[in-house]
Each structure stands twice: as C-alpha cells, then as structure tokens.
Amino acid sequence: MDHDDQPTVLLPGEVRMPLLGFGTWRATGKAGYDAVLAALDAGYRHLDTATVYGNEKEVGRAVRESDLRREDLFITTKLPPDRVGRERETLEASLRALDTEYLDLWLIHWTPSAPADSIPLWRELLAARDENLVRAVGVSNYSTPQIDELIQATEENPAVNQIRWSPFLYDRQRHAEHRDRGVVLEGYSPLDTSDLSHPVLARIAAAHDVSPAQVVLRWHIDHEIVVIPKSVTPERIQANADVFRFSLTAEEMRDLDALGSA
C-alpha cells in the first residue's frame, strides 16, 4: 500500500493519525522486532505500543533500522496507572527506549483496577504535550462519564480513546458520544472480538474477493475509526495492511453495524 495515500484522521494541533495502525501487544523480543519490521515493510506507518508491553526498545530498533523518516511515522505509547506520580520519568524512559525525541500520541492506559481519579494524571499528559514532548494525548478504556470528568476539570478533550471494538461490539450511541465530544475512537482487538466465520462477513468478503478479516478492518476505516490489528505472522501482517483496494457500500456497512446488536 502507498503510505502517502493512507486515510488519516485529524487530531487537535493539526496532527494526522493514520486510520490503520499496527498493534504490538504480546509482540516482544526478536519476534516483536521482526513483526514491526515486517509491518513497516508492508506499509504501516502507525505503530502502537505501551510501557506495560515491554517492547518499546524493539519497536524503536525496528524503526531505526527501517531507514524511514521519523516524521513519516506515527508512534503511540501508553502510561500505566501504577506510574501515577512518575509520569515524566515514565515518558522519558519511553522516549529513550523508542529512541525518539517525541511521541505522536501518549495515552493513559486505564484498567478496571486503576485509581478512580485520573485528573492529576491527565494534567501531567497535557503538560508534556504543551512542552512538545508529545504531539497529542488521550486515554484508553475510558467510559464516556470518565471522559467527561477530564473535560469538565481541564476543558481539554482527550484526542483519542482506545477501546475494544469490532462490528460485533458496535454501539451506535457510544460511537456518537465520541464524535459529539471530538474524541477519535480507536479500536483494538478488532479480529479477536469478531466471529470471522459469520455468514454476513463471509458474504461481504466474497463480494469483494477479500477475507472476512479484511472486511472487519475496512469497516473501521469506512467509519473513520482507527484500527490496530496485531500479528507476528508476515503473511497476516501483509494481508491486514491490504485493505485499501476496496470499500464497503452503505448497505454493507449497515449489515455489519447490525452485528453489534444481533
């Protein structure tokens, strides 16, 4: 795929985020390094990692050895809740490991066991953005009320909320709530949460001569939802990147949306 033509979504501060990204959860060590190199080779220009993934160094090494220009890449990492109070130290460690002077996106990596009040944490992310250490800041696994708390406290909307998402998890209201607040929805585990043998997916895949997995990824892109499939298999990495040769009709999109309420 030609990375110059990849669709992007606009974040605050004129930051362009590619709608298709490469997820690196559980891709560690040499396998992680090889997977990121294969992804860059396949045309991905958006890489998603996190402090807790333990692979920032491998991601950074793959980027360095790809010979791509840093400004042509979009790199996300995430701050775990157990680093409250050590935000700057954690960010500096991420930048060192990734071998970069800045992040394109830094997210609060929320979990169900995270502390209830994330407003002080959010202020630290905003400060890092204001110092140009990160270009955009956001959250992960936040509910709409949690997003509203941050907005009410700081008048700053998270640029992105990264949550589990797929046609089978489609929630029209939640999608609209993000849009209304100017928060970009980013979906992770798009394939793990989809029944790839479902007849609706099979029918649409056959109509476009693509795989059901490619239909799931294209559905996100046609909704302008960022999607970050992950794989360490070169063939699958390549296939997941090959979703720009077709697009879905309005009727196909409706049929796929309906899987969320099936």
Side-chain angles (χ1 to χ4, degrees), residues 45-82:
R45 294 296 178 262
H46 166 188
L47 302 172
D48 180 271
T49 181
T51 294
V52 297
Y53 296 174
N55 62 7
E56 289 173 323
K57 195 163 272 186
E58 286 83 359
V59 172
R61 193 175 131 229
V63 165
R64 196 167 59 247
E65 294 182 10
S66 71
D67 287 333
L68 291 164
R69 296 186 314 168
R70 173 65 184 89
E71 58 267 34
D72 291 336
L73 296 172
F74 188 99
I75 300 175
T76 301
T77 193
K78 312 182 197 77
L79 174 82
D82 64 2

Side-chain angles (χ1 to χ4, degrees), residues 79 84 87 106-110 114-126 129 137-162 178 181 183:
L79 174 82
V84 172
E87 297 86 358
W106 197 28
L107 303 179
I108 297 176
H109 203 182
W110 226 225
D117 178 13
S118 61
I119 292 164
L121 194 51
W122 180 234
R123 291 190 197 280
E124 289 293 331
L125 267 74
L126 293 171
R129 182 204 63 192
V137 288
V139 295
S140 175
N141 299 316
Y142 268 54
S143 66
T144 302
Q146 285 173 318
I147 289 172
D148 285 343
E149 260 177 33
L150 300 185
I151 296 171
Q152 281 154 13
T154 63
E155 295 186 354
E156 292 265 18
N157 302 22
V160 172
N161 184 25
Q162 187 184 109
H178 282 77
R181 286 158 180 78
V183 177

Side-chain angles (χ1 to χ4, degrees), residues 218-219 222-223 248-258:
R218 185 71 220 195
W219 171 85
D222 285 349
H223 263 313
L248 301 168
T249 67
E251 188 181 358
E252 287 167 340
M253 290 292 284
R254 280 196 298 275
D255 289 348
L256 291 164
D257 290 354

